[in-house]
Amino acid sequence: MARHGLVTALLLVVLAAGCGAPAGAAAYLSKLPVALDVTASPKPGQVLHGGEDVFTVTWSLNATQPAGADAAYKSVKVSLCYAPVSQKEREWRKTNDDLKKDKTCQFKVAQQPYAAGSQGKVEYRVALDIPTATYYVRAYALDASGTQVAYGQTKLADAFEVVSITGVTTSIKVAAGVFSAFSVVSLAFFFFIENRKKNN
Amino acid sequence: MEVEAGAHGDMAAKSKFSLPVDSEHKAESIRLFSFANPHMRTFHLSWISFFTCFVSTFAAAPLVPIIRDNLNLAKADIGNAGVASVSGSIFSRLAMGAVCDLLGPRYGCAFLVMLSAPTVFCMSLIDDAAGYITVRFLIGFSLATFVSCQYWMSTMFNSKIIGTVNGLAAGWGNMGGGATQLIMPLVFHAIQKCGSTPFVAWRIAYFVPGMMHIVMGILVLTMGQDLPDGNLRSLQKKGNVNKDKFSKVLWGAVTNYRTWVFVLLYGYCMGVELTTDNVIAEYYYDHFHLDLRTAGTIAACFGMANIVARPAGGILSDFGARYFGMRARLWNIWILQTAGGAFCLWLGSATELPASVTAMVLFSICAQAACGAIFGVAPFVSRRSLGIISGMTGAGGNVGAGLTQLLFFTSSSYSTGKGLQYMGIMIMCCTLPVALVHFPQWGSMFFPAKSGATEEEYYAAEWSEEEKSQGLHLAGQKFAVNSRSERGSRHNAVLADAATPPNNTPQHV
């Protein structure tokens, strides 16, 4: 029966979702060394527009780090992170020390191989799906297995703002207007036609 | 299924209907896979219109993870929008009764569906929290198609099967709340694949429910008819001119304590069903880190259970009543709804995905069956005020939905999982009042019927002496005789007349 098939499909979906989670070592932010210096070009409080503005992020190994500290770093992942003011009353952006459960940094700016001794840099155009919020930038150093082993971030006080696209394109406005008008007009049309037929 | 004997010589007219009909040309049976004019066509037009309105009212729910980022919503905004989406129909359902009286159910349905289409399209144009809440409130008005649906069925189907027909239509319409959790993420994903960014794609996806409104409205206008004979004018002449005084009917409903118990109960089965439709997809997306489509698929299973669960509740109610009468119906409600509350508590506490989904499916089956079971008892509460009691019970569902969303899913002080747990506990507590419902002639959950009490007395008590002297209560007396089956099978065998010893049927549950 269709219902039997639905239950089977549901069980498969559930098992797949449960088994699909990648198995990696757990990393905790509080245990990671702040080994990278990260700077971002937007000034504190600057407003960037989704899809238009471009900014630069640079990172390098912190001078105070002992030599050889970056032996394990294979790549660097730079992310946009929500500032605490944008996390208020939004539990889907909550910070969790366990980086597997952490929702603070949801948008990847770039992922590049780590070049020891030199400064990394990326230019990034604000993507079309970045929501309106206040952000700072964090860079994770990843080892060969993709687990975070160190990080660095811009100062929270230097957080900048992004204003997203609204998503309301002109064609959507026109289509909504046309269909709405069609609905009302055709209703009125049917009503008057039938009333005229009734009265004739 | 033969046409009843004693047909008034219009056999020629009756042969033009594909279903057996009574003297008013209302169908006496139902054939689900037929689209024959007028009865089955009406059935399908009607339930699909109701289904469409459920789809558009809850279309935002599976897309909330995208919408909340696009519009910069906080948890309070999402919760308030959910409350708004179910509040509008409290009033529109009350007004719809009057509209159906004035214009007929076909125009009532078509008007609502086509005039709410612009509100659905408006959803694509909003860009802040205030707009979101307002539009969801306006779209919610369309849930009044429930009234036009039930009204239209009662013009087309005989009262012997109207319970089954209305239960099927209501259940299948409610299924829209589940179907939308599947449809919207699929459409969103397809639009994304075509190259749109998320903040544009969800807006385009909203055109699907909007177009469904327009299509159903046009189908209802072109293919529907108000009466089996297609004649609207005679409906306005003879039907629904309420010979009874509205104030008396309302007073009768309001002063009967059982009405309020069922208003409360329905708020905690239908109400929590609507609330869960609004929050469950987001819960699975956030709590279990699933993607939008997987979360939507799981959430869909909640609402789709309506296809069998709601009618099953009514069937269980009828089955129990055959042996133990009304007491079985009341116990049926209590068991189903309390079990639903327990499963809701489990749902909120579950930390593993398989356990959570199992809890959700069991919760949905129990809550929806309880809805069906409650409407298995509602017709017996009063004969005179049946319409208003049904309407108030229905409204209670929406009030319960708004209340539970406001209490448990709007504040940031606890998570959605905790909110589900509290809701489960509240369901179990608010189901206890069903033990208070006592019919003198049938008993209650814990007390047997009063000796000597009769159905005729109960239904005649709704009329004053003066009204009785005019014979206004006589139609209800016929129902009273038929309702004697609510005493259960042992007593139907034993009873020779109304005055008999009280029943001592042990209730083993």
Side-chain angles (χ1 to χ4, degrees), chain A residues 41-50 52-55 126 132-135 158-164:
Chain A
S41 60
K43 299 186 198 34
Q46 181 177 352
V47 175
L48 301 170
H49 290 90
E52 292 171 11
D53 294 324
V54 177
F55 64 92
V126 181
T132 301
T134 311
Y135 296 91
D158 294 345
F160 54 93
E161 283 174 33
V162 169
V163 168
S164 72

Side-chain angles (χ1 to χ4, degrees), chain B residues 360-373:
Chain B
M360 184 201 76
V361 170
L362 292 171
F363 170 40
S364 74
I365 293 175
C366 289
Q368 289 156 13
C371 290

